[in-house]
């Protein structure tokens, strides 16, 4: 199982110095990949429910700096050589798919073929509608957007006719180094899992315990059988919070929280379910604290996996 890290791209640690220091250190420590999240704006009033907390409240305030992901990854690409560069996740309705395909292919070209796109339909109505998207039809829009992006990467003369996008032959160059860019589809709803099987190279789950993940993987297997796609064609990655501090016992403890042995047990459970990549995310209050957390993980836990 490969281990990646979320970049420090929020608040006071989201600076040029912070990103460059972090990216170089994580590559030297042997981490497999570096990942960036996606929000263009944070409204001061959010009525949409955040799906990854019990309270449903988005954890960042509107006046917190939140770097744009593809721009951030371009900076990181320039000071690294080996780590994969991923999005967790790129919200498809935020960008025209031709523009998104061009930006991703450019990043892939300049990084030597290291890009992996985690994509999803998004959850925040206010942000999607501000950027011109139709929130209620964002699923169908995103399905077609993925098809447009694949065509931009694949075809010498790219053309498309669809419900949301129609255009005659255009050249979209450069192409990705490998001729395509892996797309990991995010989300846990039945429609999201169908999209994984229909459109994706893998599934990118977020903030989910091993037991709940096992239930979703069973549903994903059923969807593969329904669509007659081999399950082993899909990769599985999980984004999870990391805390090396003491944690409560029992059901209140979150995965990857607590002692070294507790975290290793959680990672083993994810691995046994077939997870290929774990993306770690820790608190973003202080750069030195972040570096110390990932260094401790690399020295004390990574060698035991």
């Amino acid at each position: 199982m490969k281990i990646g890290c979320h970049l420090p791209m929020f608040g006071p640690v989201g600076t040029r110095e912070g990103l460059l220091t972090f990216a170089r250190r994580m590559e030297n420590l042997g981490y497999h990949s570096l990942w960036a999240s996606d929000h263009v704006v944070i409204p001061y009033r959010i009525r949409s429910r955040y799906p990854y907390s019990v309270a449903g409240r988005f954890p960042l305030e509107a006046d917190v700096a939140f770097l744009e992901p593809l721009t951030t990854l371009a900076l990181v690409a320039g000071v690294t050589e080996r780590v994969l560069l991923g999005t967790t996740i790129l919200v498809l309705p935020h960008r025209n798919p031709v523009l998104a395909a061009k930006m991703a292919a450019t990043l892939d070209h300049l990084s030597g073929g290291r890009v992996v796109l985690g994509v999803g339909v998004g959850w925040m109505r206010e942000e999607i509608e501000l950027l011109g998207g139709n929130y209620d039809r964002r699923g169908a829009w995103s399905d077609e957007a993925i098809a447009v992006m694949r065509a931009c990467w694949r075809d010498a003369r790219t053309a498309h006719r669809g419900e949301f996008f129609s255009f005659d032959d255009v050249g979209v160059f450069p192409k990705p180094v490998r001729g395509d860019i892996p797309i990991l589809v995010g989300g846990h709803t039945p429609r999201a899992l169908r999209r994984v099987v229909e459109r994706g190279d893998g599934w990118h789950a977020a903030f989910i315990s091993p037991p709940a993940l096992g239930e979703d993987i069973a549903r994903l297997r059923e969807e593969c059988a329904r669509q007659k796609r081999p399950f082993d064609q899909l990769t599985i990655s999980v984004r999870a919070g990391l805390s090396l501090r003491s944690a409560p016992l029992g059901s209140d403890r979150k995965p990857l929280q607590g002692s070294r042995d507790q975290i290793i047990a959680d990672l083993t459970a994810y691995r046994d379910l077939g997870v290929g990549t774990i993306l770690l995310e820790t608190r973003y209050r202080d750069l030195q604290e972040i570096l110390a957390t990932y260094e401790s993980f690399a020295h004390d836990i990574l060698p035991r996996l």
Side-chain angles (χ1 to χ4, degrees):
M1 186 168 63
K2 300 176 177 65
I3 307 295
C5 306
H6 197 292
L7 290 162
M9 55 183 294
F10 315 132
V13 297
T15 64
R16 172 183 170 84
E17 179 184 357
L19 283 167
L20 297 183
T21 299
F22 183 87
R24 289 168 173 145
R25 189 79 59 84
M26 294 307 105
E27 183 166 68
N28 288 337
L29 286 169
Y31 283 98
H32 167 260
S33 48
L34 299 173
W35 300 75
S37 298
D38 183 21
H39 280 287
V40 177
V41 298
I42 302 175
Y44 279 88
R45 177 178 296 179
I46 302 174
R47 293 186 175 90
S48 302
R49 187 180 187 282
Y50 179 61
Y52 300 112
S53 74
V54 175
R57 184 178 182 274
F58 188 59
L60 297 178
E61 299 297 330
D63 59 355
V64 170
F66 195 125
L67 305 182
E68 197 281 327
L70 296 176
T71 310
T72 299
L73 290 172
L75 177 66
V76 170
V79 296
T80 57
E81 297 292 337
R82 177 189 54 79
V83 288
L84 297 187
L85 308 170
T87 55
T88 174
I89 59 171
L90 195 75
V91 180
L92 290 169
H94 287 178
R95 298 165 185 81
N96 176 285
V98 176
L99 176 60
K102 173 76 171 189
M103 294 175 71
T106 299
L107 177 61
D108 192 72
H109 175 75
L110 294 177
S111 67
R114 291 189 279 144
V115 174
V116 177
L117 285 186
V119 304
V121 304
W123 60 271
M124 192 189 296
R125 177 186 289 271
E126 294 86 347
E127 184 178 26
I128 289 170
E129 291 182 346
L130 170 67
L131 296 169
N134 182 335
Y135 180 84
D136 295 321
R137 302 230 45 219
R138 70 194 190 283
W141 189 100
S142 296
D143 287 342
E144 190 172 330
I146 292 173
V148 170
M149 293 170 70
R150 299 272 201 199
C152 288
W153 298 331
R154 179 189 64 234
D155 300 337
R157 300 169 65 96
T158 305
H160 181 81
R161 287 286 178 270
E163 178 182 358
F164 301 100
F165 311 101
S166 292
F167 53 90
D168 294 326
D169 291 1
V170 295
V172 188
F173 294 90
K175 301 300 184 187
V177 171
R178 296 157 291 180
D180 197 7
I181 293 175
I183 290 180
L184 311 178
V185 177
H188 298 263
T189 66
R191 184 65 192 92
L193 296 182
R194 289 199 300 272
R195 184 173 297 111
V196 172
V197 180
E198 291 170 355
R199 309 276 179 179
D201 299 294
W203 178 40
H204 190 58
F207 307 115
I208 187 170
S209 67
L213 180 68
E215 294 175 3
D216 278 357
I217 288 176
R219 293 164 52 211
L220 187 61
R221 286 183 177 275
E222 292 173 358
E223 186 61 35
C224 282
R226 191 185 70 81
Q227 296 192 37
K228 296 181 172 56
R229 180 175 183 182
F231 177 77
D232 60 9
Q233 288 184 353
L234 299 174
T235 63
I236 298 176
S237 56
V238 172
R239 176 177 173 180
L242 172 68
S243 175
L244 303 181
R245 299 172 181 268
S246 60
L249 299 175
S251 60
D252 291 336
R253 188 182 73 86
K254 296 180 181 179
L256 305 190
Q257 179 185 77
S259 70
R260 179 181 64 181
D261 290 342
Q262 287 174 314
I263 290 173
I264 290 173
D266 291 333
L267 291 168
T268 300
Y270 283 123
R271 183 192 62 200
D272 291 347
L273 287 168
V275 174
T277 299
I278 291 281
L279 156 60
L280 304 175
E281 181 173 11
T282 190
R283 300 192 308 171
Y284 295 99
R285 297 177 183 177
D286 177 81
L287 180 62
Q288 295 308 314
E289 180 183 356
I290 297 168
L291 293 172
T293 297
Y294 286 122
E295 286 176 355
S296 180
F297 184 97
H299 293 312
D300 297 338
I301 297 175
L302 200 56
R304 296 181 60 183
L305 297 179

